Amino acid sequence: EVQLVESGGGLVQPGRSLRLSCAASGFIFDDYAMHWVRQAPGKGLEWVAGINWNSGKIGYADSVKGRFVISRDNAKNSLYLQINSPRAEDTALYYCAKGQQWHFDHWGQGALVTVSS
Amino acid sequence: EIVMTQSPATLSVSPGERVTLSCRASQSVFIDLAWYQQKPGQSPRLLIYGASTRATGIPARFSGSGSGTEFILTISSLQSEDFAVYYCQQYNNWPPLTFGGGTKVEIK
């Protein structure tokens, strides 16, 4: 059974940093692209960043480019999102999602990030 | 960036009715289109990919059609567990991958 478990969410002050982690199990992690998708309170889904199986292709939404960094450790079956210089508008539930081609066939339960002073 | 537009924003329907949801892309995405269902307090679930292929375990009452810029998600006979928000997503051209704004299917 595919499982994706996010951790590292919480309250962060504007301009500080936070790192989200996603522990994956139940599939061959380094066979698949992985993504972060977020959802602000009461809003729709927004793709944040994606990384292919060997980190050779990485992409970001314009809203986070230059501030967020996605990475993965295939030896640890883990995905990461480094959130730098967060803003109030980055407040959201952040989902880790397994890529199948470039859509998402499994999702974690999400990690809540609240940006506030 | 490819902009995805869903309509209507909200749909009020009765159980047993046939439901048709629309998704339009600002440029052709061929058939690189997925649909997701999200119930309150839950993570999204993949329903359809490749515009018309049902994901594993998805009931046959869900079907997808379309190509290019116009896509449809049909629920042939709405069940009580189908009341949710539905999102389309294009994956033809990235970055970025983009979602539509969602259609909420609510009880009439």
Side-chain angles (χ1 to χ4, degrees), chain B residues 10-15 78 82-84 103-108:
Chain B
T10 304
L11 195 57
S12 299
V13 297
S14 301
L78 197 73
D82 301 334
F83 291 98
T103 292
K104 182 179 181 181
V105 176
E106 63 178 24
I107 299 174
K108 189 172 184 179

Side-chain angles (χ1 to χ4, degrees), chain B residues 3-65:
Chain B
V3 177
M4 307 301 293
T5 303
Q6 291 186 242
S7 61
T10 304
L11 195 57
S12 299
V13 297
S14 301
E17 286 188 19
R18 181 183 180 88
V19 172
T20 299
L21 309 181
S22 175
C23 174
R24 175 176 293 177
S26 61
Q27 64 188 72
S28 177
V29 298
F30 300 93
I31 60 167
D32 296 334
L33 191 284
W35 290 94
Y36 303 87
Q37 176 193 66
Q38 188 179 33
K39 298 179 183 179
Q42 295 186 17
S43 305
R45 176 175 71 149
L46 176 67
L47 296 177
I48 300 285
Y49 62 94
S52 61
T53 303
R54 276 190 302 276
T56 302
I58 301 304
R61 64 180 180 274
F62 291 92
S63 63
S65 63

